[in-house]
Amino acid sequence: MTAKRNMKKSEEDIPVPPLFQSAALWGVFLAVSSNTRYQIVNALEYIVEASPLAKQVPPIAMAFTVGIRFANNVYGGMQFVDWAKLSGVQ
């Protein structure tokens, strides 16, 4: 934030986000949302990899894994931003 302030001189002050509140929110987010989503992703991958089609054509299972993990990342990032906005941290 200091470097950004030094590079971009403007009349508006760039507020520094609260560190401890952000860290606490991140910890709760990881414990509640990320863990739950990871367990769901893991279960879906297990189901797909155990299917006869994925055993015959392994790229299908790999493509599913890449897709579901990418979607999980995108959704998790959006969800954390929403949580941060609702809690007043961001």
Side-chain angles (χ1 to χ4, degrees):
M1 293 304 292
T2 303
K4 187 174 183 179
R5 284 187 181 129
N6 289 336
M7 288 174 50
K8 182 181 178 184
K9 299 287 184 185
S10 68
E11 296 178 17
E12 295 179 22
D13 189 28
I14 301 168
V16 177
L19 178 65
F20 294 111
Q21 290 90 344
S22 296
L25 180 68
W26 183 249
V28 169
F29 177 75
L30 288 177
V32 176
S33 176
S34 289
N35 187 36
T36 304
R37 285 184 292 106
Y38 178 75
Q39 296 300 328
I40 292 169
V41 166
N42 202 19
L44 290 173
E45 285 180 345
Y46 180 76
I47 291 168
V48 168
E49 289 173 2
S51 72
L53 180 62
K55 288 181 181 177
Q56 290 175 352
V57 188
I60 289 176
M62 288 188 285
F64 179 79
T65 296
V66 168
I68 195 80
R69 288 184 179 267
F70 179 78
N72 181 41
N73 255 344
V74 170
Y75 178 70
M78 292 186 320
Q79 191 178 29
F80 179 73
V81 169
D82 290 342
W83 278 34
K85 286 180 182 177
L86 287 174
S87 69
V89 170
Q90 192 179 38

